[in-house]
């Protein structure tokens, strides 16, 4: 088992980041969809609090993941991929990284604009990024919602790509990221 | 001659009386200059502080730092004028569980007495929110005072559940609420 990535395989640290973040993102998406339309009750407040806390957890993990990625080699794409396919794969990864930063940051901005600061698991409260502002809040709400749908669409393409590699090309793309 | 003297004496007495009446009215009356005033409340949700404001409130204020025994403040707050940066809060805080503004459109505060304390003044007041009246202590200081205008800033600490405001659960929204005011007043018309 590798700790760091090699030219062929992902190490355990990269795999850990990949799967933990994926799991939290799926949960956040589901909870986010569900909680937004709930009537205002203590349960809604609690879900919002948890959604924000886990969102900030993702942001922290993504920062660490990005640093780890920068200090590591990235396994190469198989030689049989066309230029277009390779560009598509790289593009999807770039968008995924942008959204992994963009989603929690827009959520944090939203909380600031709403005047509902982010408390991280009740341990500490994040400073507001902007002053409370109703107009910005509306734009940020749209952004956060549609960026979430877009993120899920790109995740779907990413997953479809991995399965396509596994079943059509029968290469190691999917296997090298599996945790076992 | 005696008659004239009597008239004079009477006039003097009358003048003296009027002066003493004027003197009693030395405690000026003020009304709130809403554009320059704010009434804010702060609560804690999920461990983080949130705030809202009341945009409309009126007051009958009689105040003179040297005549605290004759000073009093009465404030009436339009509960429907509540505002916050998050529209869900504004909508929901007006509902039955919270302010129930359709049934209780106003909240009132009346001071019982005002005394000088270190760093300002302390007022013992009766605060009515919804159908609950409770005594509260209000600490304030007067930044500016003249017969034409006065400027006061202060705060009070409340427990929302004392007034049946909000959920029984205090985990999502804590029981402690701070009320902060910054009131600019002008001489009453």
């Amino acid at each position: 088992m590798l700790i760091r990535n090699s030219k062929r395989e992902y190490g355990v640290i990269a795999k850990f980041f990949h799967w933990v973040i994926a799991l939290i993102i799926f949960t956040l998406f589901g909870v986010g969809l569900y909680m937004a339309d709930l009537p205002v009750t203590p349960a809604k407040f609690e879900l919002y609090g948890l959604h924000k806390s886990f969102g900030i957890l993702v942001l922290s993990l993504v920062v660490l993941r990005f640093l780890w990625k920068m200090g590591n080699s990235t396994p190469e794409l198989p030689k049989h991929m066309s230029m277009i396919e390779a560009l598509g794969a790289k593009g999807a990864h770039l968008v995924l990284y942008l959204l992994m930063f963009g989603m929690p940051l827009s959520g944090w901005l939203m909380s600031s604009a709403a005047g509902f600061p982010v408390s991280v698991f009740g341990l500490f409260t994040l400073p507001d990024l902007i002053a409370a502002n109703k107009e910005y809040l509306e734009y940020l709400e749209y952004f956060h919602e549609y960026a979430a749908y877009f993120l899920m669409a790109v995740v779907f393409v990413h997953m479809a790509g991995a399965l396509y590699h596994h079943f059509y090309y029968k290469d190691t793309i999917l296997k090298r990221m599996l945790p076992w | 001659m005696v008659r004239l003297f009597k008239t004079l004496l009477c006039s003097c007495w009358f003048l003296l009386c009027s002066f003493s009446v004027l003197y009693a009215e030395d405690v000026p009356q003020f009304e709130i200059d809403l554009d320059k005033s704010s009434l804010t409340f702060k609560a804690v949700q999920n461990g983080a502080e949130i705030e809202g404001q009341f945009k409309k409130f009126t007051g009958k204020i009689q105040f003179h730092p040297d005549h605290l025994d004759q000073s009093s403040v009465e404030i009436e707050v339009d509960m429907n004028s509540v505002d916050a940066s998050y529209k869900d809060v504004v909508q929901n805080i007006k509902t039955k569980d919270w302010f129930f503004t359709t049934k209780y459109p106003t909240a009132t505060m009346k001071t019982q007495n005002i005394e000088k304390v270190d760093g300002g003044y302390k007022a013992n007041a009766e605060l009515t929110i919804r159908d609950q009246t409770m005594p509260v202590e209000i600490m304030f200081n007067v930044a500016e005072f003249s017969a034409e205008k006065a400027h006061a800033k202060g705060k009070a600490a409340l427990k929302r559940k004392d007034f049946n405001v909000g959920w029984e659960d205090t985990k999502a929204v804590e029981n402690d609420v701070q009320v902060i005011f910054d009131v600019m007043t002008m001489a009453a018309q």
Side-chain angles (χ1 to χ4, degrees):
Chain A
M1 196 162 33
L2 298 167
I3 299 293
R4 295 174 62 86
N5 301 343
S6 73
K7 291 219 160 181
R8 295 245 187 100
E9 281 177 84
Y10 282 102
V12 278
I13 306 282
K15 287 180 180 179
F16 170 81
F17 281 131
H18 176 273
W19 291 105
V20 169
I21 291 172
L23 186 70
I24 304 176
I25 286 177
F26 278 119
T27 313
L28 284 173
F29 181 73
V31 170
L33 271 186
Y34 171 73
M35 72 184 193
D37 296 326
L38 276 184
V40 179
T41 56
K44 181 173 185 158
F45 272 66
E46 225 165 291
L47 280 179
Y48 268 75
L50 284 169
H51 183 90
K52 291 178 185 189
S53 297
F54 277 98
I56 295 304
L57 180 61
V58 167
L59 183 61
S60 326
L61 287 171
V62 169
V63 170
L64 294 174
R65 183 182 187 180
F66 186 70
L67 292 173
W68 182 253
K69 184 182 170 72
M70 291 293 97
N72 237 293
S73 54
T74 302
E76 289 163 351
L77 289 174
K79 301 272 187 293
H80 59 74
M81 284 173 77
S82 71
M83 180 90 116
I84 304 282
E85 284 175 322
L87 267 177
K90 299 255 182 220
H93 285 124
L94 178 69
V95 172
L96 287 172
Y97 264 94
L98 287 176
L99 286 170
M100 280 191 292
F101 281 107
M103 286 304 299
L105 282 174
S106 63
W108 185 355
L109 280 165
M110 252 169 97
S111 298
S112 303
F116 271 65
V118 180
S119 163
V120 182
F121 298 107
L123 300 173
F124 56 93
T125 301
L126 298 182
D128 284 332
L129 295 174
I130 51 170
N133 183 313
K134 282 178 201 171
E135 202 189 330
Y136 291 171
L137 176 59
E138 259 179 59
Y139 292 127
L140 287 162
E141 279 174 342
Y142 276 116
F143 179 84
H144 198 75
E145 183 181 354
Y146 289 99
Y149 295 141
F150 185 55
L151 171 60
M152 283 298 122
V154 181
V155 165
F156 179 78
V157 170
H158 173 77
M159 282 159 52
L163 292 174
Y164 185 68
H165 275 273
H166 188 69
F167 292 109
Y168 182 78
Y169 287 134
K170 300 187 166 43
D171 58 22
T172 58
I173 285 278
L174 177 65
K175 277 191 219 149
R176 72 187 188 185
M177 189 46 107
L178 290 177
W180 54 83
Chain B
M1 190 62 195
V2 173
R3 205 189 169 87
L4 185 68
F5 184 72
K6 259 190 175 168
T7 317
L8 256 172
L9 209 68
C10 274
S11 321
C12 282
W13 178 243
F14 180 73
L15 265 172
L16 212 68
C17 287
S18 357
F19 273 127
S20 58
V21 168
L22 271 178
Y23 181 76
E25 292 208 334
D26 217 274
V27 177
Q29 297 210 2
F30 298 101
E31 57 190 29
I32 291 170
D33 186 350
L34 209 50
D35 292 338
K36 293 177 187 162
S37 303
S38 66
L39 180 56
T40 306
F41 57 93
K42 289 187 178 179
V44 178
Q45 67 81 30
N46 274 311
E49 201 171 66
I50 50 166
E51 63 171 59
Q53 297 85 33
F54 293 101
K55 296 291 186 190
K56 283 185 198 154
F57 46 99
T58 54
K60 282 185 216 156
I61 299 160
Q62 298 188 56
F63 185 82
H64 195 294
D66 300 331
H67 303 289
L68 291 178
D69 54 326
Q70 291 169 59
S71 300
S72 67
V73 181
E74 245 185 271
I75 305 283
E76 200 175 284
V77 181
D78 176 354
M79 299 302 274
N80 277 301
S81 73
V82 65
D83 196 26
S85 37
Y86 193 34
K87 61 182 184 305
D88 274 14
V89 171
V90 179
Q91 279 164 15
N92 283 281
I93 207 163
K94 292 180 187 172
T95 58
K96 208 168 121 252
D97 287 345
W98 295 84
F99 293 152
F100 203 177
T101 56
T102 47
K103 193 164 180 199
Y104 309 111
T106 55
T108 55
M109 187 282 293
K110 281 182 193 165
T111 59
Q112 308 294 303
N113 63 64
I114 300 174
E115 58 189 276
K116 186 94 187 82
V117 292
D118 268 356
Y121 302 91
K122 184 179 94 175
N124 287 303
E126 277 195 339
L127 177 63
T128 306
I129 302 174
R130 291 179 60 130
D131 55 350
Q132 298 296 309
T133 301
M134 300 287 291
V136 288
E137 259 182 24
I138 300 168
M139 305 299 294
F140 66 99
N141 57 60
V142 176
E144 197 182 341
F145 176 81
S146 73
E148 287 79 43
K149 62 176 181 178
H151 180 195
K153 290 180 188 182
K155 58 184 175 187
L158 316 177
K159 303 240 182 253
R160 63 175 177 81
K161 283 168 72 178
D162 286 353
F163 300 92
N164 296 336
V165 171
W167 304 315
E168 193 55 34
D169 169 288
T170 53
K171 211 176 129 210
V173 180
E174 285 177 15
N175 198 10
D176 289 313
V177 177
Q178 289 268 329
V179 177
I180 297 138
F181 59 88
D182 184 335
V183 175
M184 187 64 101
T185 64
M186 51 199 176
Q189 298 299 306

